[in-house]
Amino acid sequence: MQDARNQLEDAERLRQQGKLDRAESTCHALTRRHPGYMAAWHTQGLVQLDKRNYERALDCLVRAVMLNPHSWMTLTALSRVYARLGATELAAQTLERAMSIKPEDPAILVSLAEILRDEREYERAVEVYRQAMALDPSLDSAAIGLGLSLGAIGENAEAQAVFESLLQRGCRTLDLFFAMTTLPAAAMKNGILGLLDKLQLGKEDTEARLTYQFVRGAALDSAGRHAEAWECFRVANRAIAPTCEDELRSYVSREQANLAALRDMPNRTAKPDDRLPISLFILGPSRSGKTSLERLVGSLDGVKRGYENPSVDISLQRTFDAAALPRSKFLEQLPPAYLPTFRDIYHEQIARRAGSARVFTNTMPSRIYEAGLIAANIPNARFVFVTRDKDDNALRVYMKKYLRGNSYAYDLKSIYEYLDWYAQMAELLSAKFPDAVRHVRYETIVSDPLAAAAAAADLCGIAVKDALPPVGDDRGCAEPYRALMKSTK
């Protein structure tokens, strides 16, 4: 029995070091030998959660809860899996059970904050992360989550300070280094390169090694070592691209189908409804500058920032459920007879999230696929499209390791094709719904933020003001890479 306990401790140590494949192998052997070993199922669930194998994590943690329904730690981990799978209400209910067993536990608060972050309720997430850190200042996961949430709302200096405080107290995890790369390039410190050189990763941990390449590339880019940075991104993207080919073909097919459907769609927006807030969709390809524009618009009176909130997705899934139909992720697959149900459920979602705000924003780039259907069926829907220099945009996509989706992002050719398709959709939507659509260049957001904010404010019928928050300047980022990008294409 003690041998099993020692092996489990080894597995947890490996998990915390990011050596997930070895940790998984150890836990798997333990659960095969001891099917009733609750702690081994729990740790295996954590490993699968770290690997983002959420279905497998669900299996393991549900098994652990079956063995011990009173483990607040397992209930907390299970709530995180529910959240990752989109079952946020069930996640919250599971956390309530955990809190009833272990009130005011910092680990439970961290899980609650992560659910809020998944829901894009970043301001509330910041509050809860701070509560958790007040109870246990040593919680690295809370500090990393706090930094990520601060970065998401544009408080980059404060986020950087949080990450640097972790470095100062000796935190040297890949999760921290990856979180630091989510900040603007200017916030990256050259000293991270030396720390990365000392980071030890297991050769078998493929996912971690790919993440490492992206992190090292970002650090090299910040240090001005562009050729070395490019090689990191090139190696990592070439490894990932083949795994995305099937999904990419599926999405290219969907892109062309949606473009054709939009061309055939009548030029008719939904009837306005003064009782409802304006849904302002700030759209554009990933890394195009949507967040910068949202930061400006979000500072105006009567506007609440929604970030990449899942209101449309939640409304769609509940509509399929209400219709007793199999779920689909795509609004265009909802039978037209159920569009009024979708509209009503969406109104409930927005009313809850927007509160008293007159305008509620959404920056989810994938909303482009169903933007025509939203314009035609959702009252008060408005759209601002953000575009930027194509090479700058393509480079920033190529430099990013996405947690999910974005199958086009790991090959320059498919990135440029995606950018072209997005531009076609934006122009067609503008032609179809001219009163509901505006266009703003990222370069204008930086050079003339007042004009950029005014374009969105005029569309929504709200006042603009002179005092606007600062936004970064990422113009011309592709300049040192143009020759490398051309040779890679």
Side-chain angles (χ1 to χ4, degrees):
M1 290 297 176
Q2 186 60 43
D3 181 59
R5 169 65 183 269
N6 292 339
Q7 290 181 50
L8 184 63
E9 290 178 350
D10 287 341
E12 175 59 18
R13 189 159 41 249
L14 290 166
R15 185 185 75 84
Q16 292 184 5
Q17 293 171 354
K19 300 174 181 178
L20 302 180
D21 290 344
R22 289 174 60 189
E24 179 182 15
S25 178
T26 301
C27 289
H28 181 66
L30 284 171
T31 54
R32 285 190 66 184
R33 232 175 20 251
H34 308 286
Y37 197 174
M38 179 267 179
W41 285 111
H42 172 90
T43 302
Q44 177 74 304
L46 296 182
V47 171
Q48 299 302 329
L49 182 58
D50 289 345
K51 296 182 79 169
R52 302 189 186 91
N53 295 333
Y54 301 129
E55 297 287 351
R56 178 65 179 141
L58 180 66
D59 293 341
C60 295
L61 292 171
V62 166
R63 178 72 67 93
V65 169
M66 287 173 60
L67 292 167
N68 183 0
H70 300 287
S71 171
W72 63 269
M73 289 187 293
T74 305
L75 288 168
T76 300
L78 182 59
S79 73
R80 292 169 58 197
V81 176
Y82 285 141
R84 295 295 188 275
L85 292 171
T88 52
E89 289 188 12
L90 188 55
Q93 292 170 11
T94 305
L95 271 182
E96 287 178 6
R97 287 175 57 195
M99 287 180 178
S100 69
I101 299 168
K102 189 78 169 179
E104 293 298 315
D105 184 87
I108 299 176
L109 288 172
V110 171
S111 292
L112 175 59
E114 289 181 354
I115 290 172
L116 291 169
R117 187 154 61 87
D118 285 344
E119 285 279 289
R120 309 305 192 264
E121 297 282 355
Y122 293 119
E123 288 87 354
R124 290 180 58 200
V126 166
E127 295 175 7
V128 178
Y129 278 126
R130 292 196 193 281
Q131 292 174 24
M133 292 174 67
L135 292 169
D136 185 355
S138 68
L139 270 177
D140 290 350
S141 60
I144 291 173
L146 174 61
L148 288 169
S149 300
L150 288 167
I153 61 178
E155 300 297 336
N156 294 320
E158 191 174 356
Q160 181 182 342
V162 171
F163 293 145
E164 288 181 354
S165 70
L166 281 168
L167 291 176
Q168 290 169 6
R169 75 185 192 201
C171 182
R172 298 292 187 270
T173 65
L174 186 59
D175 283 345
L176 170 59
F177 297 142
F178 183 70
M180 293 178 72
T181 68
T182 65
L183 298 179
M188 290 283 290
K189 294 296 185 182
N190 295 349
I192 195 177
L193 283 170
L195 301 177
L196 285 169
D197 289 338
K198 298 175 183 178
L199 192 65
Q200 295 183 354
L201 299 173
K203 292 183 179 180
E204 70 280 11
D205 291 316
T206 304
E207 186 72 17
R209 296 183 76 81
L210 288 172
T211 299
Y212 175 86
Q213 289 290 334
F214 280 97
V215 173
R216 184 171 178 78
L220 287 164
D221 173 72
S222 179
R225 294 160 60 178
H226 301 113
E228 295 172 79
W230 184 257
E231 184 61 16
C232 288
F233 298 129
R234 189 189 66 81
V235 169
N237 280 297
R238 280 196 173 179
I240 297 175
T243 69
C244 300
E245 288 178 352
D246 290 343
E247 183 181 62
L248 179 59
R249 279 192 292 270
S250 174
Y251 272 89
V252 168
S253 176
R254 185 190 179 204
E255 288 167 6
Q256 298 311 309
N258 283 36
L259 186 62
L262 183 58
R263 288 194 183 102
D264 294 337
M265 185 175 292
N267 301 15
R268 183 179 63 250
T269 56
K271 184 179 179 182
D273 190 335
D274 292 337
R275 299 170 299 173
L276 302 172
I278 291 172
S279 290
L280 177 61
F281 294 90
I282 301 175
L283 301 184
S286 176
R287 321 308 295 169
S288 61
K290 299 182 299 298
T291 300
S292 295
L293 180 59
E294 187 186 39
R295 182 168 170 79
L296 297 177
V297 176
S299 70
L300 304 181
D301 293 339
V303 179
K304 181 177 180 182
R305 296 170 70 182
Y307 311 98
E308 294 184 358
N309 72 83
S311 300
V312 172
D313 302 290
I314 292 172
S315 302
L316 179 60
Q317 301 313 314
R318 292 183 179 175
T319 303
F320 277 111
D321 294 344
L325 294 170
R327 284 186 170 190
S328 168
K329 297 179 181 179
F330 305 148
L331 180 57
E332 66 266 24
Q333 293 184 353
L334 182 70
Y338 297 103
L339 285 169
T341 303
F342 166 75
R343 179 196 63 215
D344 294 343
I345 296 175
Y346 178 78
H347 288 166
E348 294 172 3
Q349 280 284 313
I350 293 302
R352 178 177 67 81
R353 291 175 181 271
S356 61
R358 176 61 185 145
V359 178
F360 183 70
T361 63
N362 188 322
T363 61
M364 181 70 78
S366 60
R367 293 284 78 88
I368 185 67
Y369 288 97
E370 62 264 345
L373 285 170
I374 290 174
N377 291 279
I378 299 298
N380 306 344
R382 301 289 185 272
F383 304 86
V384 177
F385 287 97
V386 181
T387 55
R388 69 183 296 189
D389 176 89
K390 192 182 292 186
D391 288 340
D392 286 352
N393 202 158
L395 174 69
R396 288 309 187 207
V397 170
Y398 196 69
M399 289 177 61
K400 182 174 176 60
K401 184 176 185 288
Y402 293 88
L403 296 180
R404 62 184 70 88
N406 300 92
S407 55
Y408 63 89
Y410 305 102
D411 176 80
L412 276 177
K413 181 175 181 291
S414 61
I415 291 173
Y416 280 102
E417 289 174 348
Y418 177 76
L419 296 178
D420 288 340
W421 170 80
Y422 211 110
Q424 290 180 64
M425 289 288 288
E427 289 301 324
L428 188 53
L429 280 159
S430 183
K432 289 277 183 179
F433 310 107
D435 294 335
V437 177
R438 295 291 185 274
H439 296 264
V440 174
R441 294 282 300 178
Y442 170 72
E443 290 77 11
T444 302
I445 294 172
V446 176
S447 65
D448 192 351
L450 184 61
D458 177 68
L459 180 65
C460 298
I462 58 176
V464 71
K465 59 184 180 181
D466 293 336
L468 296 172
V471 293
D473 185 353
D474 195 42
R475 294 173 296 176
C477 62
E479 193 57 40
Y481 294 95
R482 291 193 193 278
L484 293 165
M485 294 172 73
K486 186 176 181 180
S487 64
T488 301
K489 284 168 64 179

